[in-house]
Amino acid sequence: MTSEDFVSSYFDAWNQRDASGVAGHLAQDGSYFDVPIQQQLTRDDFIAHLKEFFARDRNRYQLVGDICTGENSIAFQYRAVPLDDDNSPGWLGAEFITMQGEAAEKIEDYYQDAKAVRAGNSGIVTQRYAKSGLDEAGLKRVMDGLSQLMLREKVFLDSGLSLPQLAARLDCSVNH
């Protein structure tokens, strides 16, 4: 299966609201990591989570741009668009997938909170970072820099990149 086939099948399962189909892209011992809320789920927990999510989710998901592949990785950006509003720009997310043969060993999902995007801020600030000392302007600077590194330089493909190296490239502390 090519990475394009994998991603196409993955999007089909999301858009059909098929919890088992989405989670079926994970290896048996694979995991899904929801980065903004710092929640890691096993395959079975991911299915339960998706069933609850699909009960309230009213979006369709579509690929944005190219699928980037590495030796054992796939990365892509997606857009979630409300089913009932074709004029809405929706919101963006990105997934980084570490492959284990034909299945995903780990799926990492990065996205902006849709409510926060509509309110005009990044939506990335969570309770976890409330005491980090980084204000909204500083957070925006770091997130914009990170987005540029991901999109232009595709740093996610560098398996040797460490957190201190990334922080140095963003001109911020490791904690931020």
Side-chain angles (χ1 to χ4, degrees):
M1 173 185 294
T2 68
S3 54
E4 289 80 10
D5 292 338
F6 181 92
V7 172
S8 176
S9 171
Y10 187 67
F11 274 106
D12 286 346
W14 272 95
N15 288 321
Q16 292 170 14
R17 296 172 168 27
D18 178 3
S20 295
V22 173
H25 287 79
L26 283 171
Q28 193 61 40
D29 60 345
S31 65
Y32 170 85
F33 187 54
D34 188 321
V35 176
I37 63 172
Q38 296 290 297
Q39 181 180 32
Q40 186 158 333
L41 303 169
T42 65
R43 184 177 176 172
D44 290 339
D45 291 338
F46 189 35
I47 292 171
H49 170 78
L50 284 170
K51 287 179 180 179
E52 290 177 20
F53 177 78
F54 288 145
R56 64 182 186 283
D57 178 58
R58 299 292 176 250
N59 293 298
R60 72 178 176 279
Y61 299 87
Q62 51 197 200
L63 181 66
V64 174
D66 296 327
I67 299 168
C68 300
T69 58
E71 185 175 331
N72 293 315
S73 62
I74 300 172
F76 58 86
Q77 188 173 16
Y78 65 88
R79 180 179 309 280
V81 180
L83 290 170
D84 57 353
D85 186 0
D86 287 336
N87 296 321
S88 171
W91 50 271
L92 294 174
E95 295 209 355
F96 300 93
I97 301 172
T98 304
M99 298 298 289
Q100 181 182 65
E102 296 281 313
E105 178 181 341
K106 186 172 190 178
I107 298 173
E108 296 175 82
D109 193 3
Y110 298 78
Y111 58 88
Q112 291 181 309
D113 180 278
K115 292 177 191 144
V117 171
R118 285 192 298 273
N121 62 41
S122 68
I124 303 298
V125 177
T126 64
Q127 196 64 23
R128 176 181 167 94
Y129 301 105
K131 296 180 182 177
S132 72
L134 193 60
D135 63 11
E136 190 69 31
L139 175 65
K140 182 169 178 14
R141 181 186 59 77
V142 171
M143 292 304 295
D144 288 348
L146 183 58
S147 292
Q148 292 304 313
L149 284 174
M150 294 294 183
L151 292 171
R152 291 196 179 134
E153 298 181 35
K154 298 182 180 8
V155 296
F156 54 85
L157 295 175
D158 181 359
S159 62
L161 182 65
S162 68
L163 186 58
Q165 291 170 330
L166 181 61
R169 291 185 71 177
L170 291 169
D171 193 29
C172 70
S173 75
V174 172
N175 292 335
H176 289 159

